[in-house]
């Protein structure tokens, strides 16, 4: 009996669970050319390009490494991104200007200390050597000399602004005390540095200053003897002034500036006295509600549900 080929049943008629699985590699992939993006060979980076990318990321990685160990990003964020009161003007930059003047003094002082000799017989000649023979020595010495006067003027202006703006009041009393101590230390640093050239003018001016300090009550004579470091002004006085000027006072100023800036960031700054604070907006008062036993309230003599009671007239 001859066999006849069985008719093929369309796949659309066969339920999905009963369909014959497709051959490996042919299911779901139409025949044709590959996409153009797969034909193109990927761009290969050279070793130089890789090193350039690593170099660009190196500063960021270094800052991230340091920040993970110091956690300084929070402090910097609070210091740089903080609220500034309304009416802030150029008067508020006097503190930053004083800080910049101190940084200039510290930087130029370090370079001058490399060539200065704190000796009664060599101090003046070392200053002459700085001004006449050291490259840019006269320029650095001039910046340090005139920068001391600039710093004294700026710190007085900053203290005056703080006083007249009322920024010394609660809760900034401690910051005001620290500022007063910084003013005294600045004057001390200027006074002790004036003797270091050890010429005729600085010699006799220092004698006058030490004698004026000796006229103070109770501690005046002891302070004068401490500064003189002996019965009269001499080589030991120069060494003591140099140590106070280079080590003692700058270290105290740096520590107090850190505390001063921390309190400024923590407590903020005050607005100028001519700027009035805006009063906070208060919500409008709520009308009194006279609620009855049945829940129908009365507002300003009217029923809340709009239905008048017996004996009441509705308003037009």
């Amino acid at each position: 009996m001859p066999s006849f080929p069985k008719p093929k049943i369309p796949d659309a008629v066969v339920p999905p669970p009963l369909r014959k699985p497709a051959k490996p590699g042919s299911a779901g992939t139409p025949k044709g050319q590959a996409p153009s993006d797969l034909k193109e060979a990927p761009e290969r980076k050279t070793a130089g390009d890789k090193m350039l990318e690593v170099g660009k990321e190196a500063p960021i990685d270094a800052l991230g490494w340091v920040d993970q160990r110091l956690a300084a990003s929070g402090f910097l964020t609070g210091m740089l991104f903080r609220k500034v009161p309304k009416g802030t003007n150029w008067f508020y930059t006097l503190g930053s200007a004083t800080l910049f003047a101190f940084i200039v003094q510290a930087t130029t002082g370090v370079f001058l200390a490399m060539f200065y000799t704190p000796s009664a017989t060599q101090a003046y000649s070392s200053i002459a050597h700085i001004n006449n023979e050291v490259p840019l020595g006269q320029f650095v010495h001039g910046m340090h000399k005139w920068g001391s006067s600039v710093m004294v003027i700026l710190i007085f202006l900053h203290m005056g602004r703080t006083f007249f703006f009322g920024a010394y009041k609660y809760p900034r009393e401690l910051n005001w005390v620290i500022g007063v101590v910084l003013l005294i230390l600045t004057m001390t640093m200027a006074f002790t540095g004036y003797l270091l050239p050890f010429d005729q003018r600085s010699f006799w001016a220092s004698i006058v200053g030490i004698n004026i300090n000796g006229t103070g009550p109770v501690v005046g004579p002891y302070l004068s003897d401490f500064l003189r470091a002996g019965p009269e002004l001499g080589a030991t006085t120069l060494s003591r002034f140099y140590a106070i000027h280079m080590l003692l006072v700058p270290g105290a100023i740096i520590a107090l500036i850190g505390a001063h800036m921390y309190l400024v960031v923590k407590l903020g700054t005050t607005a100028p006295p001519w700027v009035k604070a805006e009063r906070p907006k208060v919500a409008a008062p709520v009308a009194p509600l006279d609620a009855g036993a049945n829940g129908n309230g009365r507002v300003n003599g009217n029923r809340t549900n709009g239905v008048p009671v017996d004996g009441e007239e509705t308003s037009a």
Side-chain angles (χ1 to χ4, degrees):
M1 184 176 183
S3 61
F4 298 95
K6 297 180 180 180
K8 185 178 181 182
I9 302 174
D11 293 339
V13 179
V14 181
L18 300 178
R19 293 177 184 175
K20 184 178 179 181
K23 294 181 180 180
S26 62
T29 305
K31 296 182 178 180
Q33 296 182 354
S36 59
D37 56 348
L38 296 179
K39 292 181 178 180
E40 297 176 359
E43 182 182 358
R44 296 182 180 179
K45 296 181 181 180
T46 61
D49 295 337
K50 294 180 180 179
M51 292 181 62
L52 183 60
E53 291 182 358
V54 173
K56 291 180 180 180
E57 298 293 335
I60 301 176
D61 295 339
L63 290 176
W65 186 88
V66 174
D67 183 62
Q68 288 180 354
R69 286 148 182 83
L70 298 180
S73 58
F75 173 76
L76 293 177
T77 302
M79 185 173 180
L80 298 177
F81 299 95
R82 53 192 177 94
K83 294 182 179 180
V84 178
K86 185 179 180 180
T88 303
N89 48 41
W90 286 100
F91 289 109
Y92 288 82
T93 62
L94 292 172
S96 302
T98 308
L99 175 62
F100 178 76
F102 173 73
I103 295 174
V104 172
Q105 290 299 102
T107 305
T108 55
V110 169
F111 286 104
L112 292 176
M114 296 178 182
F115 300 94
Y116 176 76
T117 304
S119 172
T121 57
Q122 301 179 12
Y124 182 79
S125 59
S126 64
I127 295 295
H129 171 70
I130 292 173
N131 290 329
N132 299 328
E133 299 179 14
V134 176
L136 297 178
Q138 188 176 8
F139 174 73
V140 175
H141 182 221
M143 287 184 62
H144 193 78
K145 177 181 178 181
W146 295 105
S148 62
S149 301
V150 172
M151 183 176 176
V152 171
I153 294 172
L154 287 174
I155 196 170
F156 268 102
L157 292 176
H158 178 56
M159 294 290 290
R161 198 278 305 174
T162 304
F163 177 78
F164 288 111
F165 281 26
Y168 60 91
K169 300 178 181 179
Y170 175 85
R172 301 175 181 85
E173 299 93 338
L174 180 59
N175 214 15
W176 170 259
V177 173
I178 294 176
V180 172
V181 177
L182 284 172
L183 173 63
I184 297 173
L185 291 177
T186 302
M187 299 298 295
T188 303
M189 188 167 60
F191 176 68
T192 54
Y194 195 79
L195 178 65
L196 298 185
F198 214 67
D199 53 3
Q200 288 293 325
R201 181 173 57 183
S202 63
F203 180 87
W204 295 107
S206 299
I207 290 179
V208 173
I210 292 174
N211 292 335
I212 292 176
N213 290 325
T215 59
V218 184
V219 297
Y222 300 99
L223 180 61
S224 180
D225 292 339
F226 171 76
L227 293 175
R228 194 183 300 108
E232 58 184 12
L233 195 147
T236 54
T237 309
L238 179 62
S239 299
R240 179 157 299 184
F241 272 47
Y242 181 74
I244 295 173
H245 184 78
M246 284 293 299
L247 301 175
L248 182 62
V249 176
I253 287 179
I254 292 173
L256 290 177
I257 285 178
H260 191 75
M261 293 181 64
Y262 170 76
L263 290 177
V264 169
V265 173
K266 183 177 180 60
L267 302 176
T269 56
T270 56
W274 57 80
V275 176
K276 296 183 179 180
E278 297 180 358
R279 294 184 178 181
K281 296 181 180 180
V282 182
V286 180
L289 178 64
D290 184 13
N294 58 355
N296 295 326
R298 188 190 304 270
V299 178
N300 295 331
N302 298 326
R303 301 291 294 183
T304 56
N305 55 3
V307 180
V309 296
D310 295 339
E312 292 182 345
E313 296 181 358
T314 59
S315 59

